[in-house]
């Protein structure tokens, strides 16, 4: 069957309980209630602090077939996932599902745990490195589920992703289970992606290398939701949280794209007092923020808030008075950690608050503008950020589809050619974010506007911006580099791509070779 953007979705997929095809960005309404975790009690004399992970596994107890959740606030510096799964293997457990909000190269040992039967399922929002490559080649017997950050929060709240035990890598904890991410030798900043898990998992285990005096302050995750605390030698390397360079690009083409994107934002008329903004940590995105900053300073604009994963550049804009607040679901660098620990206007928020579509209002709905990237875009403005030009998984939606749906104006910034391949294609290999939520594509060769936003096109033309039809940009790219060859894939479905509302927007098939 075909979904609303014309992608072929099988009516049944082995290992996936229910298939609901994507029907449109705002077409699906919730018809369920929030789940409730187990009710427990603890006596005044009971201790939560245990000696090691083996003891925790036995106390709960962790058994075959359970779903264990983890979080990616240490990104490529995480040490907890591999540690916990090694314990599971040591105890002879099988058929576990790993619900890990993002998978990085550091998580390569998962491959061996799949091969030995300890892990048979994976639920995540983003994948890169050896695990992503192995999944693309058919490592798992059943498809991996790829969600958005908001969609993961929704799935947990609504009981579609039922977590038996949440293992939270906590930079700081006290003996009674209060946690934060801004103290201790491995401080990583916001613990926002762990908030839904802590709220709804049947059991919550804090894994830490720093025990503070009770009561810990500040408290990000409270003692009322934490069952056990385990002290280990090291939970992770906070240097591993840094995403890419987190530096403004010096590439002339990237700077040209960024300057044009800033002019696009200015032409919308949204750079005014109360401006709300989200951008990524990549060089071109940060460069766009730098150009926007100059515009805000020139016109003495004070923005309302910046949102998402927070970088030192956003911290500097807060401290310079250009934004009144930062709303932080994940720290991208060490300056973000410092600011969260010291500035009361730097707010820690959970994944559900950030982007879940099934609540009384998530933060992305308040955005004026979001700057996003793309692996490829098709002529209907559908965007792929899951697979590369070879069909191998190299990313995931993360907050991409969430922010695109919420913002008043969603802008994709990208080079017209990516590794000598045109970024614009007739049909993206993997659809991640639907075209109806993408407003503008900014390249070094021109600006394409979604036909649904004729209002923006008029403003851009009036501002003298280089507006071009997306077909025109596609033809220009192909004239330079030629039309890309189609990627060959097999029949086996290795991943299903969920839209933020739980419907299936696409599937990923096994790569050949």
């Amino acid at each position: 069957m075909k979904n609303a953007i014309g992608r072929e979705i099988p009516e049944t997929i082995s290992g996936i309980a229910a298939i609901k095809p994507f029907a449109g960005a705002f077409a699906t309404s919730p018809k369920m209630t929030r789940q409730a975790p187990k009710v427990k009690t603890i006596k005044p004399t009971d201790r939560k602090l245990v000696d090691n992970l083996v003891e925790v596994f036995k106390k709960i107890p962790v058994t075959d077939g359970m779903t264990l959740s983890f979080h990616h606030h240490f990104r490529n510096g995480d040490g907890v996932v591999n540690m916990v799964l090694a314990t599971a293997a040591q105890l002879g457990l099988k058929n576990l599902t790993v619900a890990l909000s993002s998978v990085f190269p550091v998580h390569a040992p998962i491959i061996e745990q799949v091969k030995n039967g300890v892990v048979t399922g994976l639920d995540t929002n983003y994948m890169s490195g050896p695990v992503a490559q192995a999944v693309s080649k058919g490592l798992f017997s059943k498809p991996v589920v790829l969600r958005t950050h908001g969609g993961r929060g929704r799935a947990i709240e609504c009981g579609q992703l039922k977590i038996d035990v949440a293992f939270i890598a906590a930079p700081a904890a006290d003996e009674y289970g209060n946690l934060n991410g801004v103290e201790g030798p491995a401080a990583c900043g916001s613990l926002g992606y762990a908030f839904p898990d802590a709220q709804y998992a049947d059991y919550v285990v804090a894994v830490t290398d720093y025990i503070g005096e009770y009561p810990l302050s500040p408290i990000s995750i409270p003692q009322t939701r934490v069952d056990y605390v385990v002290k280990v030698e090291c939970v992770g390397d906070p240097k591993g949280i840094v995403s890419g360079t987190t530096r403004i690009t010096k590439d002339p083409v990237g700077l040209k794209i960024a300057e044009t994107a800033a002019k696009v934002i200015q032409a919308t008329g949204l750079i005014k007092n109360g401006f709300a903004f989200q951008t990524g940590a990549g060089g071109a995105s940060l460069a766009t923020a730098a150009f926007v900053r100059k515009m805000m300073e020139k016109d003495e604009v004070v923005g309302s808030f910046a949102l998402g994963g927070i970088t030192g550049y956003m911290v500097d804009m807060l401290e310079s008075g250009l934004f009144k607040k930062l709303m932080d679901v994940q720290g991208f660098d060490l300056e973000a950690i410092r600011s969260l620990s010291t500035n009361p206007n730097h707010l820690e928020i959970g994944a559900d608050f950030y982007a879940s579509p099934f609540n009384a209002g998530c933060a992305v709905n308040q955005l004026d503008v979001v700057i996003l990237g793309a692996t490829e875009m098709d002529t209907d403005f559908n965007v792929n950020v899951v697979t590369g030009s070879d069909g191998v998984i190299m990313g995931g939606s993360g907050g991409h589809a969430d922010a695109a749906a919420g913002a008043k104006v969603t802008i994709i910034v990208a080079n017209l050619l990516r590794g000598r391949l045109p970024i614009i294609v007739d049909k993206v290999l993997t659809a991640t974010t639907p075209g109806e939520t993408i407003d503008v594509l900014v390249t070094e060769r021109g600006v394409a506007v979604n036909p649904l936003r004729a209002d923006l096109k008029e403003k851009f033309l009036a501002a003298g911006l280089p507006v071009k039809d997306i077909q025109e940009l596609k033809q220009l790219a192909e004239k330079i580099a030629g039309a890309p060859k189609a990627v060959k894939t097999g029949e086996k479905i290795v991943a299903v791509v969920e839209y933020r509302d739980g419907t299936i927007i696409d599937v990923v098939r096994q790569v050949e070779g």
Side-chain angles (χ1 to χ4, degrees):
M1 56 184 169
K2 288 188 177 182
N3 64 16
I5 59 169
R7 312 299 290 199
E8 289 285 350
I9 308 296
E11 292 185 9
T12 60
I13 300 175
S14 178
I16 304 297
I19 302 298
K20 290 183 65 177
F22 172 73
F26 304 101
T28 300
S29 298
K31 294 181 175 64
M32 72 280 285
T33 58
R34 284 188 174 86
Q35 68 157 323
K38 289 182 177 180
V39 176
K40 286 163 284 185
T41 186
I42 183 169
K43 297 175 183 177
T45 54
D46 290 343
R47 294 178 71 250
K48 293 185 180 182
L49 188 63
V50 296
D51 292 333
N52 52 60
L53 285 169
V54 171
E55 185 179 347
V56 165
F57 269 65
K58 291 179 178 179
K59 277 180 174 291
I60 288 174
V62 180
T63 58
D64 291 352
M66 280 189 168
T67 294
L68 313 183
S69 80
F70 306 88
H71 316 91
H72 73 280
H73 38 260
F74 279 106
R75 301 174 66 79
N76 203 38
D78 175 65
V80 170
V81 173
N82 297 338
M83 193 186 310
V84 171
L85 294 181
T87 302
Q90 176 187 337
L91 295 174
L93 293 171
K94 301 291 183 182
N95 195 32
L96 299 175
T97 293
V98 171
L100 169 56
S101 50
S102 290
V103 179
F104 289 92
V106 71
H107 299 124
I110 289 175
I111 295 172
E112 191 59 35
Q113 304 295 7
V114 174
K115 290 179 178 178
N116 65 23
V118 175
V119 174
T120 55
L122 178 61
D123 194 299
T124 189
N125 310 343
Y126 175 95
M127 282 194 291
S128 65
V131 175
Q133 295 162 13
V135 168
S136 301
K137 295 176 181 177
L139 173 68
F140 284 83
S141 59
K142 60 183 178 182
V144 169
V145 179
L146 291 171
R147 305 185 193 269
T148 73
H149 285 330
R152 184 178 190 272
R154 167 203 54 77
I156 292 169
E157 290 177 327
C158 298
Q160 294 163 323
L161 175 53
K162 183 69 175 67
I163 297 168
D164 295 296
V165 188
F167 288 90
I168 297 176
D174 62 35
E175 291 190 5
Y176 214 50
N178 295 300
L179 317 178
N180 72 45
V182 297
E183 295 182 279
C188 67
S190 175
L191 300 183
Y193 287 119
F195 283 14
D197 305 60
Q199 183 66 27
Y200 292 97
D202 279 347
Y203 291 91
V204 177
V205 178
V207 184
T208 188
D209 54 18
Y210 175 81
I211 301 290
E213 185 178 339
Y214 180 88
L216 193 72
S217 178
I219 296 171
S220 297
I221 293 172
Q223 63 192 42
T224 54
R225 289 303 310 143
V226 176
D227 299 289
Y228 297 103
V229 178
V230 183
K231 188 174 187 296
V232 297
E233 185 176 341
C234 179
V235 294
D237 180 1
K239 293 178 183 177
I241 73 171
V242 176
S243 173
T245 62
T246 64
R247 298 178 186 273
I248 295 171
T249 183
K250 294 182 180 179
D251 171 53
V253 174
L255 287 171
K256 181 179 180 180
I257 293 170
E259 185 176 15
T260 303
K263 290 177 179 178
V264 163
I265 298 170
Q266 187 177 48
T268 67
L270 292 170
I271 301 180
K272 56 188 178 182
N273 287 336
F275 178 56
F277 187 49
Q278 178 174 332
T279 187
S285 296
L286 289 177
T288 302
F291 285 111
V292 169
R293 176 179 186 153
K294 291 178 181 178
M295 294 171 178
M296 293 175 72
E297 290 173 335
K298 179 176 181 294
D299 295 336
E300 298 183 344
V301 168
V302 178
S304 172
F305 68 91
L307 176 66
I310 298 300
T311 63
Y313 196 84
M314 288 294 123
V315 169
D316 188 57
M317 292 185 77
L318 172 71
E319 294 176 347
S320 299
L322 293 168
F323 286 106
K324 293 182 178 179
K325 299 284 194 303
L326 297 182
M327 289 200 278
D328 184 349
V329 73
Q330 174 188 196
F332 275 130
D333 57 32
L334 303 184
E335 274 298 289
I337 300 169
R338 177 195 61 78
S339 174
L340 182 64
S341 68
T342 59
N343 194 330
N345 292 318
H346 189 153
L347 311 176
E348 184 177 21
I349 62 172
D352 51 341
F353 185 107
Y354 168 50
S356 171
F358 287 1
N359 59 30
C362 55
V364 295
N365 290 351
Q366 296 295 303
L367 284 171
D368 288 311
V369 175
V370 63
I371 303 292
L372 299 170
T375 303
E376 59 181 359
M377 173 188 279
D378 65 29
T379 52
D380 291 322
F381 284 78
N382 300 307
V383 170
N384 173 16
V385 288
V386 168
T387 49
S389 58
D390 55 0
V392 175
I393 297 170
M394 43 70 69
S397 180
H400 197 285
D402 298 312
K408 290 185 180 71
V409 176
T410 298
I411 299 169
I412 302 294
V413 293
N415 290 43
L416 192 61
L417 299 179
R418 181 186 177 96
R420 296 295 301 169
L421 291 173
I423 193 170
I424 304 170
V425 295
D426 289 322
K427 183 179 179 181
V428 290
L429 178 62
T430 308
T432 311
T433 302
E436 66 179 287
T437 65
I438 304 296
D439 300 303
V440 186
L441 168 65
V442 177
T443 74
E444 75 277 19
R445 297 297 187 108
V447 175
V449 184
N450 192 321
L452 297 173
R453 297 303 305 268
D455 58 320
L456 293 180
K457 185 175 182 179
E458 290 178 8
K459 291 178 179 179
F460 299 163
L461 289 170
L465 290 165
V467 176
K468 296 182 180 179
D469 184 81
I470 196 166
Q471 289 282 2
E472 184 182 355
L473 285 176
K474 177 177 178 289
Q475 291 166 8
L476 177 59
E478 290 178 354
K479 185 177 180 181
I480 298 170
K485 294 181 180 179
V487 176
K488 293 181 179 180
T489 59
E491 289 300 313
K492 181 181 178 180
I493 294 173
V494 297
V496 295
V497 184
E498 267 198 5
Y499 189 60
R500 59 200 300 255
D501 60 9
T503 58
I504 305 302
I505 194 166
D506 211 344
V507 297
V508 181
R509 297 185 185 274
Q510 183 174 347
V511 295
E512 295 185 350

